[in-house]
């Protein structure tokens, strides 16, 4: 386990007893704990073994905060194409915040109404890293990538239907982007995007030491 | 065969003798002739049986013009994301022109440099129908669809590599567009887009008669 | 928001409170409202905040009509291959009607009994735009496209099983049609087809102005 | 080897020496020989070891006829959607003929111009089995299946491009046909269709004996 | 509707009122009625409007028998690879029986225990048409096709898991069979197989008349 | 590098200079060398730097034998469905032989003519491991797996066309086999099968020591 | 049925009466019985007809032990990448144990924390066969295959989400492994892996007899 | 064009005249020029219009250096699984170098021989960003991601055959990695990886300014 980093448990597909057991062991160490894909039942179960658990419902994350982290100067901006992408965006945003990052949220700025995105270009420019979360055709990452010159983490979501094929459409769009500077994570992997964005943002905090 | 319409032959995968035979029969009627996916050899062979053949190399089209069509008032705008999409765009544009349409070309305005597209929004607004031709992630159709309120014919191209899967990526993007008013044709089907755009444009020419 | 156009909300995947909030904001403006993919519960919730809500159950659409639109002279014909395609066809038809179009419905005329389609060729010929809705092998769009010379919007549906792969079969059929003049929308996207057909039909109403 | 049946060799992917060796062995028996997917070079090589070889170029078949078969009363009709499907149709037709069947060819009657097919419905009705060969969207099998009440063998071809995916589109169309009485063979498998059609046709010849 | 043939209704995805309405209309004519993919509820509803309804639970078929058909001399043999394939096999067998065919059932003779199949080769040889129903790897059709010289209708089933991909595996196996004389229908399409087998079997009954 | 094992170089996609360089280094050690996917040009180049190179053309393997290995008592049987699968089978067989195994070849025993396979069941029973190599529908592995009770290594080949999709069909068949005791390697991976079979065979040679 | 081997029934997709019937017949013979993919209800039903049934809940296996098997000297090691893979690993382990093998379990040693795997290399080395069970990217099999020189049976699991496509990702990883000596079974096929591993392990027990 | 950044042209699929025209325009500005996917012929053509062109053959890149960039303190490490991945790795490395980054190359450290990777863990730890380039099963990115705590850019390559499906296998592996901190680019997109890595590395150079 890297020091300073929270310990992470991915709850999806695990039984509650199981999750509780793992969290119990983690509580014996001093790190913050991040339980992703946590249902309300998971939250209830964790609350019984510690008073410090907080639940971010939209993000489906339980956080057990054991020590405070200083907030970064650098900003991670999290953008979504639509409102249905918000849960995944929140997974990314909360993950990044728990890791000590300053996060800016810019939701529902998809390409079908591109002016809303353009009106916010200043906020885009201020960010050190951007997380672009979009389903359906997933064009948001390309458009943002064409506007800014910071790294863009693209998160395809499974929002959509028909030939969307559960997020395949957005995934392929993002992988084939003609804009440079885009790295893609798995469909609906808000956690992974928040974690990678944090790693990148912290490089700026550390500056030239490594 | 619909009167006023050219007779069309799709040359790809046909032998030259075969194509010449078909064109010869068409020549006995009075319509214009459009031979798509025509190689230079096809052009040479057609030239031998008629003096009126013209070759649009980039579009891979041979036209035999037998009667003049009045140009439409309504404009079909053909846009491409990149320069590699131009041959398909030309297939659409030349098809539309041979069918009597006024065509405006706006090439290389892909989303990686979205400002070039936005700078041309007036031309976009003037069009009665727009054909959006794009490969790779194919986001152009969505972005244009979000800016204008005329019908957009989206043509995915096979331009790209890797997870582009020969145009599948652009095809899925276009089918899943969150912008309304987009109809999609087959990958690389410039002819089909030009033909459909012409049908729509002519509705405006005819006005309320049908 | 384009004037004259209704405001649209896509309900699928959104929470009821969320939808109600959006509709409440829309009600402050003067436009008609179209809520697609609306369950009966969504209808109940909208009825509580406005008296003008009407529910088209088969189409899964709630309409809040605030101002009357003149009906078009041009006709949009909506055809289906089977009876299981009717909900998607109704989504298209109701969308088109709310947008002010005159709509003709011709259901269950699939290719397995082609005579029923041929017997109605006069109605097909009268239309300015045709929406062809079909699942399984989706051949309806090709057959109609071969009979008429107006634009055909093809809507693949997810009706079928096995190697239908949730509509993929019908989608590919429609994209590969050898008939000219066909534009395809996403699987089950009745709304998108109705909207695009309306755009095209209105071109005829406006005539040569643009 | 079934008596009366020819011996068959599938040449594709085999070396010429190899093919010659196999044919040589077959020549020692008394049956007719059918070499499918044979290039002109294969024909030249077979001609050197027997005088009875005939080459059907379009069908890519070499036949070595050693004994005459009586022609069937029942008719196998082979139909194609386009001209590019003819080589596969000929593979089916020649196979059926070599197996002793009476074959009727009806080419280029695809659904884009459905009237040509309908004009020939009498010929369709006369057949005992129909082979429907079509690429692109492959709707021909469905349309024929809806018109007739004899078995239809559907042969998808790889003719097409883009989202045709080398015949996948036609294959799925045929498998998902809403018409009853259709059996599908592999993409481009003209031989298999001719063989199966012959088996079925011969059942009629034998009548009630089995 | 072809005389002598039953009228068929595919119930899956239709509402009960809807199905009842259709059956009611069919009852006004004199034909037998076959309702496939019928749940027990569908059966209950049909029983209320006619006394002649019978339910084949395993086959999920409701039959309304209005007139007796003479049984064929020719035999349709229905074979399955495993026991989980039996419902689809019964759909085929009952369909064939309702159409007047003599049916022989040979279940659970899959290739994992090939001796059970070989022990029954005499029954295989006696059949005029064979329907081979198999899921998982679907090799049954190939093995039977290699043993017999009558037509084989291959029905892939969705039985299996993992890389079976809901029947895709068995479907591809059957389409790529190296045995000749195999026609394939859609995954789980027992009805289609029974119907096609009946058409072929009846050719033998009619003998040389057509 | 494991002692006793040859050093292996996979030549496909590497430049000749590159391959020669690697082999030169390998020659400084004492092990046998196996160069797979070697063209005749590769062989010529290796021959220039060592006198011990032998070329197995069909297997596309160059062997540089530096020390003799004792042959195993246990037998690896390599079977193929068709003749076109032989090159891949030879890749497996030669690999196994170079690794010191006794190999038995049983080619062209595919399921379309299952009697040829059954006639050889004694040879099948004698083997300690069997490698089943088949393209098209790939049913051979299942059938053999049902007959024997030793491990079967299944090698799908890319032999076939159309819905074979370059070996996908055979691959899925083998993965979904209802026979137990089958392990699958990549499409056309004869080397991998030979290597794995050798590992298993050697377990028998070593007996209970590990 | 092979002597010494248990009789196996795959319960998934079968009705309880059905399963009970099959087990009842098996009880009349003397072999051990292995019922895989058994729910608790299946266990309850089997318990009613025999006292010897034991339920391995995690493995979803019911065992009816009728005679004791001597444990092998050779060890089968079962490793998993994550904790969510354990049920499939247990299916493999329990299968192998019921077949008389000595099994070593090494769970949750996935590549994300490779040190845990490396720390256990001695246990890896001691095994005669290894079963590597992993979902998500499935890299475990490659890493283990690179460390050991015994056969590795790779079991992809459906654990994961998004572009995992229900185990496709892990399956392809394992099939394309650059390590030699890996055989792959179907996604989630723990039984198949345990069975194949047992076959291989028993070869070592028998030694040179065959 | 961002200042300091080179101007980039992607040559694949463009005609030489076309490329020369674009480069000529770029030469009028002062920036460095990077022409990727450049054949030797492209290089020859560019050399004719400028003396400053250099060709990186393995990387398929032409660089026209117009101004020197200071090298970064932070290191980008580029690792490959095999030797066949080196061209793509060089595309990444040269891109990063031209953008002013210090690059460390660590080639042929794939998971089949994991010790070579582990032996270099110090070099891995020193890097600020790592680019992991791998084909076949693409497990390298996961293994590296599990060892380090800096961002990893994963580049799947099309190296492999069979079920590799031209890089799909490696792509899915990388997207599904259980290690955190991995961003994926398109198959074979070395340029994109080098560009994104440079963006991230420069964040460290700039430190807290943004
Ligand atoms: N939403 C997520 N998607 C993918 N990976 C995740 C997610 N949340 C956590 N993880 C990863 O899962 C690991 C914990 O997995 P586990 O040990 O199975 O709980 C963490 O270290 C993360 O790398
Ligand atoms: N059935 C539908 N399928 C696809 N898109 C739709 C559908 N109904 C509405 N839309 C689109 O969804 C937009 C509204 O999305 P939202 O803001 O998420 O409610 C509308 O402007 C339409 O473009
Ligand atoms: N065009 C074809 N497509 C598929 N199978 C064929 C074709 N032509 C011949 N065959 C089959 O291939 C078998 C001969 O294969 P072979 O022994 O490899 O020459 C014949 O018995 C036929 O079943
Ligand atoms: N035909 C083959 N298919 C797949 N892998 C192979 C093949 N031949 C050799 N290999 C593997 O490739 C490795 C050598 O690869 P390389 O270092 O790239 O030459 C060997 O250790 C084998 O594991
Ligand atoms: Mg950018
Ligand atoms: Mg628009
Ligand atoms: Mg038309
Ligand atoms: Mg019919
Ligand atoms: Mg047969
Ligand atoms: Mg076996
Ligand atoms: Mg190994
Ligand atoms: Mg890491």
């Amino acid at each position: 386990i890297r020091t300073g980093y929270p310990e992470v448990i991915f709850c999806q597909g695990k039984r509650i007893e199981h999750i509780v057991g793992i969290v119990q062991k983690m509580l014996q160490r001093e790190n913050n704990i991040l339980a992703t894909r946590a249902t309300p039942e998971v939250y209830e179960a964790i609350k019984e073994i510690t008073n410090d658990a907080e639940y971010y419902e939209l993000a489906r994350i339980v956080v057990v905060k054991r020590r405070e982290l200083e907030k970064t100067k650098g900003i991670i901006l999290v953008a979504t194409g639509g409102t249905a992408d918000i849960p995944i965006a929140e997974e990314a945003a909360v993950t990044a915040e728990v890791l000590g990052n300053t996060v800016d949220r810019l939701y529902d700025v998809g390409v079908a109404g591109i002016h809303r995105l353009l009106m916010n270009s200043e906020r885009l420019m201020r960010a050190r890293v951007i997380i672009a979360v979009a389903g359906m055709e997933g064009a948001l990452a390309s458009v943002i990538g064409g506007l800014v010159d910071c790294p863009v983490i693209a998160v395809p979501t499974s929002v959509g239907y028909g030939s969307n094929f559960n997020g395949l459409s957005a995934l392929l769009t993002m992988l084939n982007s003609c804009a440079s500077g885009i790295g893609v994570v798995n469909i609906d992997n808000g956690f992974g995007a928040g974690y990678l964005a944090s790693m990148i943002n912290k490089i700026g905090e550390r500056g030239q030491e490594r």
Side-chain angles (χ1 to χ4, degrees), chain A:
Chain A
I1 305 294
R2 299 168 191 136
T3 48
Y5 279 73
E7 307 198 47
V8 183
I9 165 166
F10 177 67
C11 301
Q12 193 172 295
K14 295 197 178 116
R15 305 195 189 170
I16 296 220
E17 319 87 79
H18 192 174
I19 295 168
V20 168
I22 297 175
V23 172
Q24 209 123 30
K25 263 199 225 136
M26 289 175 166
L27 285 169
Q28 291 155 21
R29 293 186 291 265
E30 291 296 281
N31 297 309
N32 293 330
I33 297 171
L34 192 71
T36 64
R37 302 283 164 100
T39 57
E41 293 70 44
V42 167
Y43 173 52
E44 291 308 321
I46 295 180
K47 244 185 5 193
E48 306 227 329
I49 57 169
T50 171
N51 291 324
D52 304 334
E54 247 176 303
Y55 189 41
Y56 296 79
E57 195 203 338
L58 215 51
R60 293 176 297 167
I61 288 180
V62 175
V63 177
V64 184
K65 225 180 200 152
R66 317 293 294 289
R67 39 162 153 159
E68 211 51 60
L69 289 175
E70 210 186 325
K71 285 284 161 193
T72 57
K73 288 214 167 157
I75 297 166
I76 294 174
L77 182 139
V78 182
T80 74
T83 56
D85 303 314
I86 292 177
I88 299 303
E90 281 298 310
E91 192 181 278
V94 171
T95 297
E97 285 173 341
V98 172
L99 289 161
N101 298 278
T102 303
V103 171
D104 185 17
R105 286 155 169 90
L106 181 59
Y107 290 168
D108 208 4
V109 291
V111 296
I114 197 127
H115 293 301
R116 301 204 32 226
L117 183 68
L118 297 173
M119 275 162 38
N120 285 286
S121 51
E122 224 171 295
R123 270 164 79 191
L124 293 171
M125 298 303 171
R126 252 201 308 270
R128 196 183 272 155
V129 196
I130 294 175
I131 296 173
V133 183
M136 304 195 71
E137 87 270 57
L140 183 69
S142 287
V143 174
I144 290 180
L147 291 173
V148 304
D149 67 349
C150 71
V152 175
I153 318 291
V155 190
T157 72
S158 54
V159 169
Y161 63 89
S163 62
N164 172 282
F165 298 125
N166 304 315
L168 178 67
S169 167
L171 172 63
L172 295 185
T173 302
M174 288 167 171
L175 285 168
N176 286 283
S177 178
C178 12
S180 307
I182 298 181
V184 184
V185 298
N186 194 8
I187 297 165
D188 290 336
N189 191 359
F191 165 77
Y195 196 97
L196 175 55
S198 172
M199 273 186 171
I200 296 172
N201 192 25
K202 298 284 179 77
I203 287 175
E205 299 300 305
R206 278 199 307 274
Q208 296 195 355
E209 9 170 327
R210 195 199 61 173

